[in-house]
């Protein structure tokens, strides 16, 4: 089952577990697949937190979030919480502020990016006392540029750069 998840271990510190499920994993909205994910991560299913995604720029503290809330971003500083977004064509964006130990995940599609979700994400980290210099960003897998007239990764990077994040702080999977 673990081969149905891509883990990204070389960019973030050891205390961060970052990964994306593959299509063969199944729909992460399915409660049975959430149980499988929790087993792989060796956490209780109650620690998994997600939202109802609607291409917004709303970002919630994971401690106050639930699958009933509408939004496209989660942030936490609690190690016992596992935050995730569901994507198909859109791009999952994982942002870490190392010193404050803030972890954020964004569901960034064309509509959310038009609503500046990347910029909102950085501002949320700064609001919590984080500093841009301590940020690392992982851009997960998404639909390729050749399928659309725009490139999601470029749109995300523009919003990050606008807020002081440099290319050396960003990696793509």
């Amino acid at each position: 089952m673990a081969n149905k998840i891509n883990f990204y271990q070389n960019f973030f510190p050891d205390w961060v577990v970052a990964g994306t499920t593959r299509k063969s994993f199944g729909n992460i909205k399915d409660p049975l697949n959430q149980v499988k994910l929790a087993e792989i991560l060796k956490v209780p299913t109650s620690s998994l937190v997600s939202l109802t995604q609607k291409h917004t720029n709303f970002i919630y503290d994971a401690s106050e979030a639930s699958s009933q809330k509408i939004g496209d971003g989660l942030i936490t500083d609690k190690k016992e919480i596992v935050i995730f977004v569901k994507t198909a064509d859109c791009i999952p964006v994982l942002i870490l502020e190392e010193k404050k130990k803030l972890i954020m995940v964004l569901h960034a599609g064309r509509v959310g990016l038009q609503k500046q979700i990347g910029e909102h994400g950085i501002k949320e980290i700064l609001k919590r006392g984080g500093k841009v210099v301590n940020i690392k960003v992982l851009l997960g897998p998404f639909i390729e540029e050749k399928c659309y007239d725009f490139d999601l990764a470029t749109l995300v990077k523009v919003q990050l750069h606008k807020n002081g994040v440099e290319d050396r702080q960003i990696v793509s999977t």
Side-chain angles (χ1 to χ4, degrees), residues 59-62 64 75-77 100 102 104 123-130:
I59 299 168
Y60 291 97
D61 187 299
E64 302 163 2
I75 187 169
T76 189
D77 62 356
K100 289 286 184 180
L102 292 167
M104 175 182 288
K123 287 181 178 177
E124 184 65 30
I125 287 172
L126 298 177
K127 186 170 83 174
R128 292 167 181 257

Side-chain angles (χ1 to χ4, degrees), residues 71-122:
D72 289 86
L74 288 163
I75 187 169
T76 189
D77 62 356
K78 304 202 176 349
K79 291 190 322 189
E80 65 275 6
I81 293 179
V82 177
I83 55 176
F84 67 95
V85 292
K86 300 163 277 295
T87 63
D89 296 352
C90 300
I91 186 167
V93 181
L94 180 66
I95 303 172
L96 167 69
E97 202 290 4
E98 273 191 283
K99 298 283 191 235
K100 289 286 184 180
K101 296 192 174 184
L102 292 167
I103 300 172
M104 175 182 288
V105 65
L106 303 174
H107 165 250
R110 180 184 52 83
V111 175
L113 288 165
Q114 287 174 336
K115 295 176 181 177
Q116 305 297 312
I117 192 162
E119 188 169 341
H120 280 91
I122 299 302

Side-chain angles (χ1 to χ4, degrees), residues 8-24:
Y8 309 107
Q9 299 167 317
N10 298 327
F11 185 62
F12 294 118
D14 292 343
W15 54 269
V16 176
V17 177
T20 54
T21 58
R22 296 181 185 178
K23 185 177 182 179
S24 58

